[in-house]
Amino acid sequence: PPLFLVMATQNPIEQEGTYPLPEAQLDRFLMHVRIGYPDAQVETEILRLARERAQDLLDGTASADTHGLEPIAIEDVFAARRQVLALHVAPAVERYLVEIVLASRDAMRYDAALARRIAWGASPRGSIALERCARAHAWLAGRDYVTPDDVRSVAPDVLRHRVLPSFEATAEGWDGGRLVAELLARVPLP
């Protein structure tokens, strides 16, 4: 269908018999967002919602309650996509975004040790994803233009699964997230 979305979760336990996805398949995921445990306030809210839902089930009043949220029409999603794509990206910001991705492929210009730690950098899909997510970040902030901070805010989630550590870097405890953080620290802002 015109509106298609896949979300996948990876539980850090009970992985016996499962295998990591190949890099080419990982590259097709827009983002790799790491979500930790909720804080006390959120956990308390989870308890309240679960308790209310359980009570509704016992009372026979359970329904498709959206907890006050309005359903989103497909047309609204497409309208939001058009607005996101219409946001202004200055040439300097676009160059900065591209430079981060290029540095993931060849970090030698910035740091020889970092370059040895990166086995594979982000593909052109990474550039596309970084630009789209930076636009969406700016749009959600209510702006009609993208800033370098928008790029920096989404870069870890967009690139951590696309920038792969070398065998030696993995042995030293490096992962894609740490590599992306180092790239962001070294590629100068416009």
Side-chain angles (χ1 to χ4, degrees), residues 98-129:
V98 168
E99 192 57 39
I100 293 169
V101 174
L102 293 177
S104 78
R105 297 177 199 155
D106 180 14
M108 190 62 75
R109 294 180 295 162
Y110 299 102
D111 184 317
L114 181 59
R116 286 191 301 276
R117 288 186 170 111
I118 299 174
W120 296 102
S123 73
R125 257 192 205 102
S127 299
I128 294 167

Side-chain angles (χ1 to χ4, degrees), residues 96-179:
Y96 174 64
L97 180 152
V98 168
E99 192 57 39
I100 293 169
V101 174
L102 293 177
S104 78
R105 297 177 199 155
D106 180 14
M108 190 62 75
R109 294 180 295 162
Y110 299 102
D111 184 317
L114 181 59
R116 286 191 301 276
R117 288 186 170 111
I118 299 174
W120 296 102
S123 73
R125 257 192 205 102
S127 299
I128 294 167
L130 187 54
E131 191 240 9
R132 296 268 174 93
C133 290
R135 284 175 178 273
H137 190 270
W139 182 80
L140 289 169
R143 284 183 272 104
D144 63 355
Y145 59 92
V146 178
T147 68
D149 285 337
D150 294 315
V151 175
R152 293 175 64 79
S153 293
V154 298
D157 292 335
V158 172
L159 298 176
R160 77 168 41 102
H161 61 293
R162 291 182 164 100
V163 180
L164 305 177
S166 65
F167 179 76
E168 294 82 11
T170 301
E172 294 171 352
W174 287 68
D175 62 8
R178 186 170 174 192
L179 292 170

Side-chain angles (χ1 to χ4, degrees), residues 58 72 78 98 152:
L58 287 173
I72 298 174
F78 289 131
V98 168
R152 293 175 64 79

Side-chain angles (χ1 to χ4, degrees), residues 10-30:
Q10 184 177 17
N11 194 333
I13 58 174
E14 297 180 8
Q15 294 187 29
E16 187 173 328
T18 65
Y19 302 94
L21 290 173
E23 291 80 5
Q25 287 181 2
L26 283 176
D27 193 32
R28 285 165 172 77
F29 283 88
L30 181 69

